[in-house]
């Protein structure tokens, strides 16, 4: 019998042979082994190494990372670190699953794997903002494995001499994954070493870099200098080509010669640059424009501006010794915040010289001419113009195409850019940037469109445009209330220009209606004519007037600013009316409308506004709020004076103004020493009612010329006068203190600056920075005085009188808002020209001390796709910033979508859960007695990784284009007009919110796109219910339009809340007057038709008399209708006719409706007054009920009613079988109904009997 040692050796040999012959194992043996050890997970692996057996096993599952951070990383190296003995050296396979047991290939995620590195998934590679799942992995390892180690590095070459050939060797070793019995080596196939040829680099010889040049051999005149280099070689057998030494001429500067300057007085200076007169002194004075001495101004010769010769003292005086007086001397004088000036000295025969210089405050560049949109054909040329002002004037201009700077040498541009031989690829946006010593400014971009050769200027086929038909018009067959009338895309096109190199083309061309055809819409019971667009073409653009209207009222009690002066720049352009109203014409080249309202009575502070307007034409209405000037107090100019900023009851002031003694001065520069009448009006952001009174638009221009927003902590206007309260005083070295307790966002403190408002540009410009100081304060809202930290800044009060405590804010977003015609929120009924205003409010308690404080006020006009309002937002806390949003159209406040009694995302326009995050609340959310005309939201910046927040209504600041082009089904906030049922139909379609869609046609409702005349007639309704009233408007006296329809207007009467059973309607009709050809007058034929059981019972006596005296007279033989030829004269409320002419149709109609509601010719109301100014009166009683309804019969006699219903159903079923349909006949009494039913039953019974007899036969 063998001993144990021999048996062990034999078993090891057999095992080695078996391992070496792994491929001969078949599946049956594999299954047998698997059955003998069921605790292992075995599988056949066809991808193992050639030295590996066919039997493998899986490791346990490993999960060492989680998908937080950048992703999920299951690295093999890390797994071996934590589980050193549980993973084989060379796995042959790997499996990855999520912790929910989903295979990695089925998750839809982007993953990576490698048998050398492991498995990993990266979050930012996942689609739709998803993050990686949590994965665990396992590896497949052979239980018995023999393998070669990795090859070692190649050894060094056997030769070292250059240009020689040798041998390199590398090695590897054979290892086993499991211990083998003694004397048994791992069965690896192949060689343990490998050899290859090697060669040493070729022999070379190269020069080193040249050394530095030596010193010149002479100090002046002509000389030589030397530099050297060395030859670096790898063999003595090679050499460098060239010389190791190089010579160069030097000493080009000539040796100093004797100064040849000839001085008529004195002698040349050491540098021979000027004449110096010993004993002579040039004395100068430097003042501001208001006469205040300028201290610290730098004085230099104009020929050597960088060499400072002197500085002014506190009195603005300087002395320049050695300056000769025989000839004028040009001096350059500079001072921070002032424009540099060059002045010439004056002298006389006494040998003295003097100079007086006046420095003007420096002004940053401001763009006054912007490039305009243009269209050209390929091969043509174009001129784009740009112009900026400032002190000093801008001296450099830069042009950009799609954000890329154009080469000045190639395009040879300055203020203007000329492009010749245009190519389509030159299309795009162009803007310029103007720069000076004080800063830069960018123009608005201009769009250049280059039409390629062979491409039509306009698309001739009109696009679809659905017109809503009258409510009683349903087209047979389709049951549709819409008709496609077509329209042309109103964009600019390349027309025929007399000269193409003008800053503004003399006549712009647009795609418009080229031809129309008359069609008839079948409404079932009647026909409706319509003019449909059949072809579009390039033609002269319709250029309607652009207007800005509004009213200037006090912010505290709505007192109007009567007869206030209106300035644009330094030019007075108008005066406000008795009620504070104003109208401004906007020139076509205006990009930024800056208007200053000045109260000649000095009750209100000067208020500067930057108005938004609609460039497509029409009028935009603005309510302008002005702050009442603070009552002046008497202060002593010879003492230190402290004036508080902010007087909220129970609150500490936001800051203080500290005026040192003897700081006041007159315009002449003389120090004022008497009593000062001081008025400091503070616009406190803690009072939200002052937000709309903020001057300017809270923007500044950065160093790159971009206009960026500011966030205010308070504004103040100063007015200092002498004791007679007449002469305006200036003040120097004034300090402004800001209490840091009111700055709850700590990151704002180091960025806080003091700004002043430029009255010409409406842009805030920096006055000074702030620094810290400690002061004792208290006694307002505090119980005791205490040490507090203030920010302190310095300023001088010169020409500017409006100042601001602001910080630039970079946490910015856009909010999408749309306005609709009604609460149905139909996409086709969006309102344009609505002024949407957004007030940025302070955060909620916990983030700031006062949730009512505001930080910024912005307004935007809605266009065809709504409006995008700039706002501050925060990504960390949803309630870090909140906003208060309102919408006004022509002075009328629109309603916001409701938030109570239940939050409905479909009505508000924002989906959940983003809506809850923003905490939307309409102004009446908690108190239903409040107005419904505003809403408040949290400005939560959207999370880019959350798909629910990437569809609006809040967009990142970089996504303005995405906000402007957002589809109508994307999230947005909503406003709507509160109106009665109303309908307008024009035979020639026209969109009143876009005046450029006007088409010249005899049947156009508005015959002149430059002037719109709106006419309304007031109709009184006597009856319990409100009634729809229609006006049918046809041609009356013009030969081209007689009997042809202009349009239809429907309006539901409005209930008079003061009188029972009375309502009235303000019904629009087609005014008489010239048609679009301006040749012949047409008195429109108007038919007023109340819809219902109405009878005319009264006609205004004055109206009837007027119509009878202005023939032809239309007969009114029908009591339910009224016909007339529209009056030519603008009759008033005494006739019940209201006529208003304006450059905007909507404004004209709004004013006329307001007067009609009020029943006066100059008033305005939104409450119907049916007893004033009425033209027609109708009685519309309700029809008497002839029989009980089914519901009433069920209540009075349920048993009999149900029995009758059952009999009727059986009879109806029988009649349907025999006659196909039942005939319903209404009778006035129940008895007649029962008699008729019995007759029908007996007839039906007889028919059934006859049918049975026929079947039997």
């Amino acid at each position: 019998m063998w001993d144990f040692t021999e048996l062990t050796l034999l078993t090891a040999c057999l095992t080695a042979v078996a391992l070496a012959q792994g491929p001969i194992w078949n599946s049956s043996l594999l299954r047998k082994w698997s059955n003998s050890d069921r605790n292992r997970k075995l599988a056949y692996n066809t991808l193992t190494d050639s030295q590996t057996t066919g039997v493998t096993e899986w490791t346990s599952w490993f999960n060492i990372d989680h998908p937080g951070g950048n992703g999920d990383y299951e690295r093999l190296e890390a797994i071996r670190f934590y589980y050193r003995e549980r993973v084989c050296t060379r796995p042959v396979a790997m499996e990855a699953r999520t912790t929910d047991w989903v295979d990695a290939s089925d998750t839809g995620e982007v993953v990576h794997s490698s048998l050398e590195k492991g498995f990993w998934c990266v979050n930012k590679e996942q689609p739709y903002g998803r993050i990686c799942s949590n994965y665990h992995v396992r590896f497949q390892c052979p239980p018995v494995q023999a393998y070669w180690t990795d090859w070692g590095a190649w050894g060094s070459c056997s030769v070292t001499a250059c240009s020689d050939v040798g041998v390199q060797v590398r090695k590897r070793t054979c290892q086993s994954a499991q211990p083998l019995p003694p004397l048994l080596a791992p069965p690896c196939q192949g060689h343990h070493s490998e050899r290859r040829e090697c060669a040493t680099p070729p022999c070379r010889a190269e020069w080193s870099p040249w050394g530095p040049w030596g010193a010149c051999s002479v100090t002046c005149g002509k000389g030589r200098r030397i530099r050297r280099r060395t030859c670096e070689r790898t063999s003595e057998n090679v050499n460098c080509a060239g010389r190791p030494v190089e010579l160069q001429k030097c000493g080009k500067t000539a040796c100093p010669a004797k100064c040849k300057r000839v001085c008529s007085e004195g002698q040349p200076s050491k540098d021979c640059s000027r004449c110096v007169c010993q004993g002579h002194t040039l004395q100068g004075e430097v003042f501001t424009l208001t006469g205040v001495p300028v201290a610290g101004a730098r004085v230099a010769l104009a020929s050597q501006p960088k060499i400072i010769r002197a500085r002014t003292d506190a009195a603005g005086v300087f002395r320049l010794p050695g300056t000769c007086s025989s000839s004028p001397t040009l001096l350059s004088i500079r001072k921070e915040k002032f424009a540099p000036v060059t002045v010439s000295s004056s002298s006389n025969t006494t040998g003295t010289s003097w100079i007086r210089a006046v420095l003007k405050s420096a002004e940053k560049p401001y763009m006054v001419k912007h490039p305009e949109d243009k269209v050209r054909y390929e091969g043509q040329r174009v001129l784009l113009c740009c112009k900026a002002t400032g002190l000093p004037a801008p001296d450099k201009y830069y042009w950009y195409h799609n954000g890329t700077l154009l080469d000045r040498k190639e395009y040879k541009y300055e203020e203007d850019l000329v492009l010749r031989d245009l190519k389509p690829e030159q299309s795009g946006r162009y803007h310029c940037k103007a720069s000076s010593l004080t800063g830069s400014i960018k123009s608005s971009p201009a769009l250049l469109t280059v039409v390629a050769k062979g491409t039509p200027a306009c698309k001739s086929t009109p696009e679809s445009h659905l017109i809503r038909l009258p409510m009683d018009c349903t087209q047979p067959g389709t049951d549709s209330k819409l008709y496609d009338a077509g329209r042309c895309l109103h964009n600019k096109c390349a027309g025929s220009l007399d000269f193409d190199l003008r800053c503004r083309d003399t006549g712009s061309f647009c795609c418009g209606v080229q031809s129309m055809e008359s069609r008839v819409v079948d409404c079932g019971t009647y026909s409706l004519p319509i003019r449909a667009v059949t072809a579009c073409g390039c033609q002269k653009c319709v250029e309607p007037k652009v207007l800005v209207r509004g009213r200037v009222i006090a912010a505290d009690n709505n007192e109007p600013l009567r007869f206030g002066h209106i300035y644009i720049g330094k030019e007075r352009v108008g005066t406000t009316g008795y009620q504070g109203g104003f109208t401004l014409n906007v020139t076509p080249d205006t990009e930024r409308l800056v208007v200053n309202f000045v109260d000649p009575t000095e009750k209100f502070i000067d208020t500067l506004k930057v108005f938004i307007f609609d460039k497509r034409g029409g009028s935009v209405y603005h309510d302008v709020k002005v702050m009442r000037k603070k009552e002046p107090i008497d202060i002593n100019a010879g003492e230190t004076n402290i004036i508080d900023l902010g007087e909220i009851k129970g609150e500490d002031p936001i800051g203080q103004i500290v005026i040192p003694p003897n700081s006041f001065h007159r315009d002449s520069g003389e120090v004022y020493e008497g009593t000062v009448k001081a008025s400091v009006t503070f616009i406190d952001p803690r009072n939200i009612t002052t937000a709309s009174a903020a001057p300017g638009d809270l923007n500044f221009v950065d160093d790159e010329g971009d206009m960026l927003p500011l966030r205010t902590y308070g504004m103040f206007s100063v007015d200092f006068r002498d004791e007679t309260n007449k002469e305006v005083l200036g003040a120097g070295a004034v300090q402004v203190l800001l209490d840091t307790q009111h700055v709850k966002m700590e990151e704002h403190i180091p960025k806080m600056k003091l700004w002043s408002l430029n009255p010409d540009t409406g842009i805030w410009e920096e006055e000074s920075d702030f620094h810290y100081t400690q002061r004792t304060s208290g006694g307002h809202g505090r119980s005791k005085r205490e040490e507090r930290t203030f920010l302190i800044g310095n300023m001088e009060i010169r020409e500017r009188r409006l100042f601001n405590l602001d910080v630039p804010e970079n946490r910015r977003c856009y909010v999408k808002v749309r306005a609709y015609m009604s609460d149905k929120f139909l996409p086709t009924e969006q309102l344009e020209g609505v002024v949407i205003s957004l007030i940025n409010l302070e955060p909620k308690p916990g983030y700031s001390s006062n949730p009512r404080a505001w930080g910024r006020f912005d307004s935007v006009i809605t266009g065809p796709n709504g409006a995008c309002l700039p706002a501050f937002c925060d990504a960390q806390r949803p309630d870090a910033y909140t906003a208060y949003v309102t919408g006004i159209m022509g002075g009328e406040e629109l309603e916001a979508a409701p938030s109570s009694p239940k939050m409905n995302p479909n009505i508000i326009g924002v989906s959940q859960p983003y809506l809850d995050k923003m905490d939307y609340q309409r102004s009446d959310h908690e108190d239903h007695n409040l107005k419904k005309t505003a809403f408040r939201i949290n400005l939560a910046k959207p999370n880019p990784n959350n798909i629910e927040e990437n569809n609006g209504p809040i967009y990142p600041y970089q996504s303005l284009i995405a906000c402007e082009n957002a589809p109508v089904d994307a999230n947005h906030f909503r406003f709507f007009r509160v109106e009665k049922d109303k309908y307008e139909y024009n035979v020639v379609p026209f969109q009143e919110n876009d005046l450029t869609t006007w088409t010249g046609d005899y049947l156009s409702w508005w015959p002149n796109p430059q002037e719109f005349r709106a006419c309304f007639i007031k109709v009184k309704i006597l009856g319990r219910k409100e009634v729809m009233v229609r006006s049918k408007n046809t041609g009356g006296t013009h030969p081209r339009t007689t009997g042809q329809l202009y349009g239809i207007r429907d309006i539901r009467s409005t209930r008079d809340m003061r009188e029972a059973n009375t309502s009235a309607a303000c019904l629009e009709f087609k005014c008489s007057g010239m048609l679009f050809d301006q040749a012949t007058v047409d008195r429109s034929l108007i038919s007023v038709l109340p819809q219902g059981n109405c009878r005319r019972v009264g006609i205004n006596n004055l109206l009837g008399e007027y119509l009878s005296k202005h023939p032809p007279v239309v007969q009114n033989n029908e009591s339910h209708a009224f016909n007339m030829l529209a009056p030519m004269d603008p009759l008033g409320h005494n006739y019940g006719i209201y006529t208003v002419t304006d450059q905007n149709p909507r404004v004209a109609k709004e004013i006329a409706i307001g007067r009609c509601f009020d029943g006066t010719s100059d008033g305005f109301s939104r409450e119907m007054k049916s007893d004033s100014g009425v033209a027609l009166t109708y009685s519309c009683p309700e029809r008497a009920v002839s029989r009980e309804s089914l519901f009433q019969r069920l209540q009075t006699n349920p048993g009999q009613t149900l029995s009758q219903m059952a009999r009727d159903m059986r009879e109806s079923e029988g009649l349907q079988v025999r006659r196909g349909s039942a005939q319903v006949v209404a009778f006035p009494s129940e008895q007649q109904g029962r008699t008729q039913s019995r007759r029908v039953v007996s007839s039906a019974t007889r028919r059934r009997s006859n049918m049975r007899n026929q079947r039997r036969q």
Side-chain angles (χ1 to χ4, degrees), residues 105 141 183 234 254 258-259 267 291 410 476 500 568 754 861 952 1004 1046-1047 1056 1084 1094 1101 1154 1176 1217 1250:
S105 61
C141 298
L183 304 181
T234 57
K258 185 178 180 180
C259 181
Q267 60 185 6
E410 178 182 355
D500 56 358
I568 295 181
L754 181 64
I861 297 178
S1004 295
Y1046 287 115
D1056 188 343
S1084 309
C1094 295
N1101 293 330
L1176 302 174
V1217 172
N1250 294 334

Side-chain angles (χ1 to χ4, degrees), residues 619-651:
S619 174
V620 176
Y621 187 89
H622 294 273
D623 261 333
V624 179
K625 301 292 182 67
V626 293
M627 291 292 294
R628 193 177 300 277
K629 184 179 291 187
K630 184 86 173 188
E631 287 295 327
I633 59 174
D634 293 339
I635 60 177
N636 189 341
E639 300 176 353
T640 299
N641 294 281
I642 299 177
I643 302 176
D644 289 335
L645 299 177
E647 294 182 353
I648 301 294
K649 186 177 181 180
E651 297 280 347

Side-chain angles (χ1 to χ4, degrees), residues 641-850:
N641 294 281
I642 299 177
I643 302 176
D644 289 335
L645 299 177
E647 294 182 353
I648 301 294
K649 186 177 181 180
E651 297 280 347
D652 291 320
I654 285 181
Q656 295 174 333
I657 296 179
V658 180
I659 307 173
N662 302 317
S663 296
F664 293 102
H665 56 79
R666 300 181 184 273
D667 286 346
S668 62
E670 175 189 356
V671 176
Y672 180 78
E673 298 179 348
T675 301
V676 178
K677 298 284 187 181
S679 172
V680 178
T681 306
F682 186 66
I683 301 177
D684 199 325
R686 296 173 295 183
N687 182 1
I688 193 173
T689 62
T690 64
S692 57
D697 56 358
L698 280 177
N699 287 325
F700 77 102
V701 177
D702 67 357
D703 294 336
E704 292 298 320
D706 293 308
M707 197 169 293
L708 301 176
L710 292 170
R711 183 254 186 260
T712 186
Y713 280 89
M715 308 178 192
F716 57 94
S717 170
V718 297
D719 185 23
F720 299 136
R721 298 175 183 264
D722 64 2
E723 55 189 342
T724 64
N725 203 29
K726 292 183 179 180
E727 183 180 359
V728 178
L729 303 176
V734 176
Q735 292 183 338
V736 178
L737 278 68
L738 174 64
D739 191 346
T740 56
Q741 70 157 334
H742 298 287
V743 185
K744 295 303 179 180
M745 296 183 180
E746 295 183 358
E747 64 271 21
H748 283 178
I749 294 178
K751 297 187 295 183
M752 187 72 65
K753 295 179 184 294
L754 181 64
W755 309 75
S756 65
L757 183 64
N758 188 322
D760 296 328
T761 65
I763 296 175
W764 293 92
E765 298 179 3
E766 182 181 342
E767 281 284 330
S768 72
D769 293 321
F770 281 90
H771 60 274
Y772 286 95
T773 186
Q774 294 286 333
R775 293 210 175 193
T776 302
S777 181
H780 289 274
R782 297 174 177 268
S783 59
K784 62 180 181 179
R785 300 177 64 84
E786 60 180 31
E787 286 287 333
R788 288 186 301 181
T789 302
F790 284 85
L791 293 175
I792 184 170
N794 300 309
M795 70 175 186
E796 293 182 7
I797 300 176
R798 300 190 294 268
E799 301 93 343
R800 300 183 183 178
R801 302 284 163 154
L802 273 170
F803 300 92
N804 198 351
L805 308 170
D806 275 22
V807 292
E809 177 61 273
N810 55 9
R811 292 177 291 184
R812 295 171 285 167
C813 290
Y814 284 99
V815 180
K816 186 72 173 186
V817 180
R818 300 179 189 270
Y820 294 88
M821 294 182 183
S822 68
D823 56 1
K824 298 177 182 178
F825 303 116
L826 299 178
T828 57
E829 295 184 353
Q830 293 193 60
L831 291 174
E832 300 182 39
V834 179
V835 179
I836 307 295
S837 299
L838 184 146
I839 304 175
N840 265 105
L841 302 177
E842 278 282 357
K844 285 188 174 182
Y847 204 86
S848 179
S849 62
N850 191 339

